[in-house]
Structure formats: structure tokens, C-alpha cells
Amino acid sequence: MSDNWWREAVIYQVYPRSFADANGDGMGDLAGIRSRIPYLAKLGVDALWLSPFYASPQKDAGYDVADYRAIDPRFGTLDDFDAMLEAAHEAGIRLIVDLVPNHSSSEHEWFKAALASGPGSSERDRYHFRDVDPAKPEVPPNNWQSVFGGPAWTKTPDGKQWYLHLFDSSQPDLNWDNPEVHAEFQSILRFWLDRGVDGFRIDVAHGMVKAAGLPDTGGDGTIEMIGTTRSPFFDQDGVHEIYRTWRPVIEEYEGDRIFVAEAWTDSAERRALYLRPDELHQAFNFDLVLAPFSAVDFRKAIDAEIANNAGIGAPCTWVLSNHDVQRHVTRYGDGPIGLARAKAATQLLLALPGVVYVYQGEELGLNEVLDLPDEVREDPTFFRTNGEQIGRDGCRVPIPWRTEGPSLGFGDAEGWLPQPEGWAEKSVEAEDGTGGSTLEFYRQAIALRKAHKATGLTWLDDPGDNAFAFDNGAVVCVVNFGDEPVGLDGFDGEVLLSSAELAEGRLPAGSAVWFKK
Ligand code: NOJ
């Protein structure tokens, strides 16, 4: 395993609940992931990032952690974890786990002790509690709103205090002004590093520090998940102090281990601050998640990321989908055009210098499931907005592995969410070895990316309206974002890969091509 692997890796996000169910309870698990390591190795990914599998009441699909050192029985045991990690390492695949330091579950021992101990106690000081004002008992301490909808404050059962939760009321925010919180997370880092993990994805990495006095935000206090603006609770400069204490911990361990920030910032400049040499290694760049499928918007986002990260020597990251956003096949349009554009966008990402994140199932061309029945939905967003926002369950539907079976090979039982019509044809079984399938396209593209490594990016003359071309040092990549084919005059060389068949030397609408240099 090469040094600095994380500067050019393809990292695959596994969402454990929905990946593979080995014990037939309808929920994915660690043994299921282990059984699919050969599939991931064949796909050619360098590392996995696993969303949380810790003991949790699952009010926010595991991002509500009750015990940071235990595996939720739904997902298995620590032995299952060790066996999975070993299998991944044997296959040459690294493993990054999710760390959730902004909030715990309300079922965490600390929060239970805080409720039991009462106002003013050292137990309450690990969270953000504030007295209820008897003159205005229904008015929370400030105007902050939960990301999932509704106020960010809930009263304690005795009605005497409020506690802060930027997410669900089952996710109380930890108080990072308290040294005990710092010590606990350093210990949690070491627990997983000692077990051999290759790094951490840090959840809400921009949220742990709140402005002194918890002042009101401007406006009505509502916030967006991605695409947020700076506020008294997001992207405060104090978070950087925390990472300066974490970096030496991870550096004590051998093996080039890394931190990846989920930091929602309002600019690429602010994001780059998390990547200074004494802080974190990578930060997700969500600009392409937010960008419309257009040459101008993609180019702007690419330029901003490269300009900001190059200066501090941090790798760029490229992301199109994850467990929080609508799958990009669906974002880019209904039907075949959505899939065509999604493949083109993936081919573009794989030609960029830096790190590419792939969300499970995108290699099968899975679409967002928009018509899940209300009764099966689990995302707190759905409940906290009284169904006004359908939430994120539609990108979390279990993976179809086979063309038949109660959950198309996800497990022996029905999955925790139903799969839609048409997913048998998108299953691994259906796509494996099938010429022209999305899976074979991903396999080929990832292998070619490794064989032809990008060393930089130089823009070339645009080949047409809503199209662009660049040279990455190893290949020339041309992408057509438009609705009409573009001519490829002036581009020659061997065609290494094209996301759609070239027609009479023209690049079809919504497609990409790589020429060997
Ligand atoms: C970001 C995670 O990606 C999301 O799934 C979760 O709901 C929130 N953080 C809260 O932990």
C-alpha cells in the first residue's frame, strides 16, 4: 500500500444498513459487508468509508450514537468488525469509520446521567442546557432551528431546562467547552485506531464549537444541510483548535491514516482552512452535488476546489452522491438521460486530480426512490417537517445483488425499505459481465484511471456550447453537458473510454470521452 494513498484514492461509501444483510433480519450488517469484499476489490476501490454501525437507537440511522465503542447488535459484534477489517486489508482495501462528535444519542450514558443529575451539575455541563425562563416558558433560549426542521431546543422531562440539538431531539449537542468531552473523543479515536482503522470521516466537522453566549442567528434561524452559510453554530473558528489536538494523535499511528471532514462551509476558501497541514487530510467538496449539470457550473466548482486546495497542498475531493442527497441519476433527469449524464459526470470526476468518492449503488446506476410509502419512512426530516420534506430514505434503499428473492439478494428476507420495480435489471447479477452495463463502465473507468494517473489540469478550448475539455497530464477528457452532439475535430488519439458510443466522430448529448495522450 503506497504512501499518500489518500491523495488520489477512489473511496467507496458503504451505508451499512442497506449494503448486504447476512443474518436475514432485513437490515444490512458487518458480516454482509465482509462477504462483499471481493466485489469491492473487483470494482477497484482503494478504501471504504462506513457510515455508523455503533450502538444506537437508530433515530437518525445510527448518527445518534449511544456507545462509541460498541457495535449495534443489528450490525453484529466487535469480532465481526475485526473480521471485516481483516478481510478488507487482505484485499488491499483501507477502511475509514464515521465519527460523530457534534452530538450523542439521548440514550448515551452521559445524557442519561445529565437528565438524572439536574441543573448546574457537572453531568449537564457535557451538553448545552439552559434554564426555562418562567416569564416566557415556551420561548427557547435562542432562535436556532434544527437541520431536520422545528426548533433546535427541547425541554427536559421535568420542564425546567432546555437542551440544544442541531439535529433530532434524540441527538443532544455535546459541549466542546468541556475538557471531559475532548478527553473522551481522544480516547475514542485511539480505541478505533488501536483496532486498525485507516481513518475517520468526521460528521458535522464544522459544528462542534458554538459562538459564546449562543447568540441568535440572522433571519429566522433555519439552516440547510449542505449549502449552509456561516452561523453561530457552524464553521466557528474554534473548531480548528480541536483538529490541531487530533492530528498529533493520528500521526502517532503508522500506516498513513486520515481524517475526512464533512464540513459544510459557504465557500471553498473556508473549506480549505480545515485542510491546513496540522489539521485534517481531506474535506468533502459538495459543490458538484449542488451544481446543475452544466459546463459553466462544473468548471467553476472545479476551478475553485483546485485553486484553494493546491495552495495548502491538500488533495481535492469530488463527490456526486451520498446518503444525504438525492442520487445523481435522478438529479440529472428522469429516464435514460439521467443515467447518461450521471455516467458522464462520473467519468469526468475520475479524470480529475484528487480523490473521488463513490456512493454505494451508483456503480449500478441506481435511481432515487421517490415513491416510498409514508409508513416505511425512517428519516427524522420526514417526521419533523410533518411530511413536507420526504427526507433521505429514497437514496438509502437496499442494494439489489440478484435478480430474484425477497430483497433481490440483499438478504434472505425483505429489506428495511422496499426496492422499486426495475431494480432486478440493475442488480449486480444482471450487470456483472454485461457489456454496456453501468457496473462494467465503473470497473473499466476506475481501472483506466489507475493506469493513467492525472498529474494536473489544463483547460483546452471548448469543443462546443455547454461542453468542455481538459488535459490532466495522462488523458484528454471531453464532456458534453448539452442536449446536442458536439464534434470532436481537433481531438485525436486512442479513445480509452467513452460513456456513450461516439456517433460519426461526435460526442453524444450528456456524455464524456477520454483520449490517451
Ligand atoms: C450528517 C450525516 O451525513 C447525516 O446523515 C446526519 O443525519 C447528520 N450529519 C447528523 O449526524
Side-chain angles (χ1 to χ4, degrees):
M1 295 189 188
S2 67
D3 268 355
N4 275 342
W5 63 276
W6 50 275
R7 291 182 173 276
E8 56 189 40
V10 176
I11 304 182
Y12 184 97
Q13 181 189 357
V14 173
Y15 193 64
R17 314 177 121 232
S18 305
F19 191 62
D21 170 20
N23 67 359
D25 66 354
M27 173 86 41
D29 45 44
L30 300 181
I33 299 169
R34 181 182 167 204
S35 74
R36 301 296 181 183
I37 295 288
Y39 167 81
L40 296 164
K42 191 166 177 195
L43 184 57
V45 300
D46 302 291
L48 309 179
W49 148 37
L50 264 58
S51 284
F53 43 71
Y54 312 107
S56 159
Q58 304 287 324
K59 293 277 169 51
D60 183 23
Y63 282 95
D64 47 325
V65 181
D67 184 344
Y68 290 86
R69 297 178 184 80
I71 308 289
D72 194 295
R74 296 171 183 87
F75 298 129
T77 62
L78 278 172
D79 285 344
D80 293 330
F81 178 85
D82 293 341
M84 176 196 61
L85 180 62
E86 196 184 331
H89 282 171
E90 271 172 14
I93 297 176
R94 315 222 183 200
L95 196 131
I96 295 168
V97 296
D98 218 309
L99 185 73
V100 189
N102 179 67
H103 45 266
S104 74
S105 160
S106 53
E107 296 294 312
H108 191 284
E109 287 307 319
W110 274 8
F111 194 73
K112 291 200 266 184
L115 289 186
S117 303
S121 61
S122 57
E123 285 83 358
R124 286 215 175 176
D125 190 54
R126 293 170 179 147
Y127 295 90
H128 297 276
F129 284 91
R130 292 291 179 276
D131 288 339
V132 170
D133 178 350
K136 294 179 281 178
E138 297 314 320
V139 181
N142 64 26
N143 74 343
W144 298 3
Q145 299 293 300
S146 156
V147 175
F148 295 153
W153 295 91
T154 291
K155 277 188 200 164
T156 53
D158 63 10
K160 292 190 178 147
Q161 285 202 306
W162 299 94
Y163 67 89
L164 174 68
H165 54 87
L166 291 179
F167 295 88
D168 188 52
S169 56
S170 64
Q171 294 166 294
D173 278 49
L174 287 157
N175 173 15
W176 279 85
D177 288 332
N178 183 326
E180 267 188 272
V181 174
H182 286 257
E184 174 64 358
F185 274 88
Q186 295 237 351
S187 158
I188 294 166
L189 287 176
R190 289 181 190 283
F191 178 86
W192 292 103
L193 289 166
D194 288 339
R195 282 206 112 76
V197 304
D198 299 289
F200 300 90
R201 175 266 190 191
I202 306 168
D203 188 65
V204 199
H206 55 302
M208 288 116 91
V209 171
K210 277 72 181 176
L214 310 184
D216 278 355
T217 65
D220 63 2
T222 55
I223 38 173
E224 297 291 329
M225 195 152 190
I226 297 175
T228 188
T229 49
R230 271 185 92 197
S231 72
F233 46 80
F234 279 163
D235 201 23
Q236 291 287 308
D237 288 332
V239 289
H240 298 289
E241 298 301 323
I242 300 174
Y243 301 130
R244 291 195 185 104
T245 67
W246 286 13
R247 183 71 181 238
V249 174
I250 207 165
E251 302 233 319
E252 278 174 33
Y253 289 80
E254 288 184 352
D256 226 359
R257 309 190 198 195
I258 63 161
F259 289 118
V260 185
E262 183 217 22
W264 314 334
T265 60
D266 57 11
S267 67
E269 287 90 334
R270 293 287 311 173
R271 186 163 63 237
L273 297 178
Y274 291 76
L275 302 173
R276 288 173 285 193
D278 56 350
E279 296 195 39
L280 308 175
H281 301 77
Q282 296 178 7
F284 296 128
N285 159 19
F286 294 122
D287 295 356
L288 294 179
V289 172
L290 299 171
F293 187 75
S294 94
V296 169
D297 292 288
F298 266 60
R299 181 167 173 164
K300 198 169 142 214
I302 292 167
D303 281 340
E305 174 80 352
I306 292 178
N308 284 289
N309 290 16
I312 47 167
C316 299
T317 65
W318 311 107
V319 180
L320 293 170
S321 279
N322 64 31
H323 66 294
D324 289 329
V325 299
Q326 191 175 83
R327 284 187 176 276
H328 59 283
V329 164
T330 305
R331 283 207 314 270
Y332 293 157
D334 272 343
I337 189 66
L339 180 57
R341 290 174 177 165
K343 286 167 73 176
T346 296
Q347 189 171 338
L348 155 63
L349 258 57
L350 289 168
L352 294 172
V355 179
V356 176
Y357 278 84
V358 172
Y359 176 51
Q360 69 177 34
E362 65 169 79
E363 78 278 18
L364 303 172
L366 297 187
N367 50 291
E368 183 83 5
V369 183
L370 297 168
D371 58 356
L372 287 168
D374 289 355
E375 318 78 80
V376 302
R377 291 196 179 276
E378 292 203 8
D379 184 352
T381 313
F382 179 74
F383 302 107
R384 291 186 63 89
T385 62
N386 294 319
E388 253 173 56
Q389 291 179 34
I390 59 171
R392 302 161 292 172
D393 292 309
C395 63
R396 300 173 175 181
V397 172
I399 296 295
W401 292 93
R402 304 187 63 84
T403 53
E404 286 177 357
S407 53
L408 299 176
F410 167 64
D412 290 338
E414 287 185 5
W416 68 281
L417 287 174
Q419 293 145 324
E421 289 289 311
W423 273 26
E425 296 93 85
K426 293 178 193 271
S427 67
V428 174
E429 183 182 6
E431 296 198 19
D432 186 22
T434 305
S437 72
T438 310
L439 177 58
E440 290 303 336
F441 170 77
Y442 266 71
R443 285 175 175 161
Q444 211 188 342
I446 292 171
L448 284 166
R449 167 186 159 94
K450 283 200 178 136
H452 304 272
K453 288 193 174 164
T455 54
L457 184 144
T458 310
W459 294 107
L460 305 174
D461 288 344
D462 289 346
D465 279 350
N466 209 3
F468 63 45
F470 62 87
D471 177 342
N472 75 5
V475 304
V476 168
C477 176
V478 188
V479 188
N480 179 5
F481 292 84
D483 296 328
E484 300 295 331
V486 296
L488 288 169
D489 292 347
F491 296 97
D492 43 31
E494 182 192 335
V495 172
L496 285 173
L497 181 71
S498 61
S499 66
E501 220 170 297
L502 303 184
E504 292 163 12
R506 287 153 72 81
L507 186 60
S511 66
V513 61
W514 290 345
F515 293 100
K516 188 174 173 190
K517 278 200 63 192

